Amino acid sequence: QVQLVESGGGLVQAGGSLRLSCAASGRTFGNYHMGWFRQAPGKAREFVAAISWSGGSTNYADSVKGRFTISRDNAKNTLYLQMNSLKPEDTAVYYCAADATYSTVVRGALSRMGYWGKGTLVTVSS
């Protein structure tokens, strides 16, 4: 089992920045590929960014490319999402996820994802 706990959400004005963290416990964090997903009110959960177990590969949704950066610190068992130039349409609950297969994370195969956190709310005001 892997337990994931997100933090760092909050209220920010458009154009501002936030950094989300996801603390992992349980099985070896470094064995898993990780991702960030988000779900806005009334919408389906969508892929935001993914990072391979080593950090050597990253992928982003087109909507966040150039603004968001995913990273991880395996020594600290922590995943990060640096979000810059935030827009009101970035408002959502952000979830971290873990899986042993990178394609599962990158393709946003929600039903196949191994582990999910409970989410942290990000609200961007205009």
Side-chain angles (χ1 to χ4, degrees):
Q1 290 286 338
V2 175
Q3 292 78 42
L4 304 172
V5 180
E6 302 93 337
S7 62
L11 174 64
V12 63
Q13 289 188 332
S17 299
L18 279 176
R19 188 175 83 154
L20 305 184
S21 298
C22 173
S25 60
R27 291 192 175 182
T28 305
F29 176 71
N31 289 347
Y32 291 89
H33 309 291
M34 303 293 296
W36 287 100
F37 294 77
R38 66 186 182 186
Q39 188 166 14
K43 295 188 177 181
R45 193 170 299 190
E46 64 177 6
F47 169 77
V48 174
I51 187 166
S52 62
W53 68 270
S54 67
S57 295
T58 57
N59 291 83
Y60 296 91
D62 288 344
S63 59
V64 306
K65 277 182 183 176
R67 300 188 298 123
F68 291 10
T69 302
I70 189 171
S71 62
R72 65 189 295 162
D73 185 337
N74 287 346
K76 294 183 178 180
N77 290 349
T78 305
L79 174 73
Y80 303 100
L81 185 69
Q82 178 66 44
M83 305 186 294
N84 298 328
S85 302
L86 283 161
K87 305 175 181 179
E89 51 264 43
D90 294 318
T91 294
V93 177
Y94 283 71
Y95 300 88
C96 67
D99 198 83
T101 304
Y102 192 55
S103 61
T104 297
V105 182
V106 173
R107 295 176 185 174
L110 305 183
S111 62
R112 295 184 181 181
M113 201 70 62
Y115 303 97
W116 290 98
K118 293 186 176 181
T120 185
L121 176 63
V122 173
T123 304
V124 184
S125 63
S126 57

